[in-house]
Amino acid sequence: MTIHVIGAGVTGLSFAKASRDEVNILESCERIGGKALSYKVETSVGTFGFDVGGHWFHYQRSPAVLDILKGLDLKAHTRKAFVYLHEQFFKFPIQQSYIWHPDEKFVGTVKKELQMVNYDHEYTNYEEMLQQSYGLTLYDSFFKDYNSKMYGIQDLSVIGVGRFETIRNVRTNRNVTGYNGDFVYPKGDIGASGIPLFLADHLRINYNKKVKSINITNKTMNINNETESWDTIVSTMPLNSLIGMINDVDDHILALSKQLKFSKGMILNLGVKRTQLQEDMSWVYFPDPHLHFYRVGFYSNVESSLAPLGYCSMYVECSPLFFSNKEEALAIVPTIIKELIEIGFIGHADEIVTTKAIYLDHNYCLPDTSKTKVIHHYLESAGIYSIGRYGSWHWSSQHEDMQQAWDLANKLTLRNLTKTKKMTQQSLVTQTF
């Protein structure tokens, strides 16, 4: 039995790698990897390497996924992250370093509020989760504005608490470093694309195969205007897009999918002359509501071969609070560069060697399990499994998507083995009679 996989990103490739069934991977583009994309730029000062934002491989919650990558040359790193709060840099996580804040009243209030945290609390929405985990002072000074900038939405109470939100955000009395204290990254100048390239080895991938429609009743799908039958589909495309292409979808499911919310995004990659401020930083969080970005990271601080000596390759994650389409996003690039110069990440504008802005139609999904559970149940009852960050409609990292893909592959393999065994037994019974 052939399983059709839509999308050759990290999730789809991981499923195909783990599956013991025949897998047909359908990729609409000419390349693999999805957003795990790397590229190089040749300049007069040397070669710069970039990804589409920080694809650092955090694995603590799913250490078994590293077994999937055995044979790939990965280098371990310890996080060197900071929070830029009140025009000062504090080590991340802020709930550990707030004690160095010069305002004694601020420190005392935060300390008191953190002592009142209820670790067993159940949360009804994202805002409540952050407030209950860190107290109102840290929420108001960091978590509220940072998350609003990241998600592109002012009212955090409309965001649900999904599968992974508590892993990233809820403070516990056992984990003081957070979920991303350590990470791995491919060695050399291959960049984040090294992971999907490794996963794709020996897999059959069909490029430029765009699925245009799916019919559940007839178990057919239209691929490049040609009709093909299917039994099982594993999709990694955005959940709302998948529902939108099912031409006989239930009206209620279609209505639910249209209510799913997500943020747009823009990654600004820069090759610049190194400044002293950039030294020894993996990435920095920016809650300041007036700055047009929420996070800045440094590829070449993790892998030195991604920038020429004396230079730095960096990424800037820009807040969708300041744009609603590609044209508006590109228009704020000069402002962002000005702000980076003011902070000190760039010395002068003429020290910028190369620039590329990458606009993202889908960046972060705003989880809403009350809707997605219904949608996923409907799809799975028809033989369609929607997985990954966009397929599951949650905020996940690569290792979590790989683990989900691996688990599903094993589940479907067991299902198919059980089905084959039953068919064989029925055949034997028929022959006996």
Side-chain angles (χ1 to χ4, degrees):
M1 182 185 341
T2 300
I3 297 176
H4 296 279
V5 176
I6 302 177
V10 168
T11 305
L13 295 172
S14 296
F15 175 87
K17 199 82 170 179
S19 180
R20 280 172 276 175
D21 297 301
E22 183 178 352
V23 175
N24 180 34
I25 304 175
L26 304 169
E27 173 53 55
S28 62
C29 302
E30 296 179 348
R31 58 169 180 79
I32 62 169
K35 288 185 173 64
L37 168 67
S38 303
Y39 68 95
K40 293 183 176 64
V41 177
E42 302 292 338
T43 73
S44 59
V45 300
T47 304
F48 288 87
F50 301 97
D51 298 328
V52 182
H55 286 273
W56 318 127
F57 198 93
H58 309 288
Y59 56 89
Q60 287 84 345
R61 297 287 300 188
S62 305
V65 298
L66 288 180
D67 292 338
I68 306 172
L69 300 176
K70 277 185 177 177
L72 176 62
D73 203 1
L74 296 169
K75 183 178 179 180
H77 300 272
T78 298
R79 178 196 66 212
K80 297 176 182 177
F82 297 84
V83 174
Y84 188 69
L85 180 66
H86 303 152
E87 299 185 346
Q88 297 181 69
F89 289 94
F90 296 87
K91 284 187 177 181
F92 178 83
I94 188 65
Q95 64 271 22
Q96 306 300 328
S97 63
Y98 74 92
I99 58 174
W100 302 110
H101 197 285
D103 187 335
E104 293 183 2
K105 183 179 179 181
F106 175 87
V107 172
T109 303
V110 171
K111 182 179 181 180
K112 181 179 179 181
E113 291 174 350
L114 289 177
Q115 291 173 341
M116 298 172 63
V117 170
N118 179 1
Y119 297 110
D120 299 319
H121 190 80
E122 292 187 5
Y123 312 100
T124 59
N125 62 65
Y126 204 81
E127 178 184 67
E128 181 189 354
M129 176 186 69
L130 294 173
Q131 290 178 345
Q132 294 292 329
S133 298
Y134 301 101
L136 291 179
T137 303
L138 274 185
Y139 174 78
D140 288 335
S141 59
F142 173 64
F143 290 99
K144 179 181 184 299
D145 289 329
Y146 176 78
N147 282 276
S148 291
K149 288 170 68 177
M150 181 181 71
Y151 280 117
I153 187 168
Q154 295 285 3
D155 184 4
L156 298 179
S157 69
V158 304
I159 304 177
V161 179
R163 180 179 176 186
F164 298 112
E165 276 64 37
T166 55
I167 294 173
R168 284 163 180 73
N169 294 291
V170 174
R171 175 179 175 268
T172 72
N173 56 356
R174 298 176 298 277
N175 186 356
V176 297
T177 60
Y179 78 99
N180 59 2
D182 299 290
F183 60 96
V184 295
Y185 188 75
K187 286 185 179 179
D189 63 354
I190 192 172
S193 64
I195 291 177
L197 287 171
F198 178 84
L199 292 170
D201 192 32
H202 300 304
L203 294 179
R204 188 183 73 181
I205 303 171
N206 300 287
Y207 297 95
N208 298 311
K209 293 290 186 179
K210 184 174 179 60
V211 179
K212 295 187 175 181
S213 66
I214 296 172
N215 187 284
I216 290 177
T217 305
N218 299 327
K219 290 279 189 171
T220 58
M221 58 182 170
N222 184 290
I223 307 171
N224 293 354
N225 297 321
E226 294 183 1
T227 301
E228 186 169 339
S229 61
W230 59 273
D231 178 77
T232 301
I233 292 175
V234 174
S235 173
T236 63
M237 70 168 63
L239 182 59
N240 57 350
S241 301
L242 172 64
I243 295 299
M245 70 166 51
I246 300 176
N247 51 30
D248 59 341
V249 69
D250 182 88
D251 289 341
H252 175 60
I253 298 299
L254 180 61
L256 287 178
S257 73
K258 290 182 178 180
Q259 295 172 38
L260 298 178
K261 296 181 174 61
F262 59 95
S263 70
K264 299 181 183 298
M266 183 174 70
I267 307 296
L268 178 62
N269 282 333
L270 297 165
V272 301
K273 193 171 182 179
R274 181 172 290 281
T275 67
Q276 186 176 357
L277 184 59
Q278 300 165 1
E279 300 289 344
D280 216 29
M281 287 181 169
S282 304
W283 61 84
V284 184
Y285 301 91
F286 291 89
D288 187 334
H290 301 102
L291 294 175
H292 289 65
F293 47 86
Y294 56 90
R295 185 163 48 204
V296 174
F298 305 92
Y299 304 113
S300 53
N301 281 359
V302 174
E303 175 50 62
S304 60
S305 64
L306 295 178
L309 186 64
Y311 290 83
C312 173
S313 61
M314 59 187 289
Y315 63 92
V316 185
E317 295 180 88
C318 310
S319 172
L321 284 179
F322 299 97
F323 57 83
S324 58
N325 55 53
K326 185 176 182 178
E327 290 71 25
E328 291 177 1
L330 295 176
I332 66 172
V333 169
T335 301
I336 291 170
I337 291 175
K338 180 176 179 291
E339 291 170 347
L340 292 170
I341 293 173
E342 291 173 350
I343 292 170
F345 282 144
I346 301 175
H348 303 282
D350 57 9
E351 294 179 355
I352 301 174
V353 181
T354 181
T355 303
K356 183 175 182 178
I358 303 171
Y359 183 74
L360 305 172
D361 283 319
H362 283 82
N363 194 18
Y364 290 108
C365 301
L366 278 60
D368 189 339
T369 54
S370 66
K371 297 179 177 63
T372 54
K373 281 182 179 179
V374 176
I375 296 172
H376 282 113
H377 177 74
Y378 169 83
L379 290 172
E380 290 178 18
S381 65
I384 302 174
Y385 298 85
S386 186
I387 62 174
R389 171 184 284 192
Y390 301 106
S392 294
W393 209 262
H394 55 215
W395 178 17
S396 55
S397 296
Q398 291 180 85
H399 71 280
E400 290 156 337
D401 293 335
M402 289 173 65
Q403 185 69 60
Q404 185 188 25
W406 206 260
D407 292 343
L408 177 61
N410 291 328
K411 173 184 174 181
L412 294 185
T413 295
L414 180 61
R415 179 201 67 175
N416 293 339
L417 287 173
T418 302
K419 185 183 296 185
T420 301
K421 184 177 179 180
K422 286 183 178 179
M423 291 175 63
T424 302
Q425 290 173 340
Q426 290 173 355
S427 176
L428 290 172
V429 170
T430 303
Q431 292 175 19
T432 301
F433 287 97

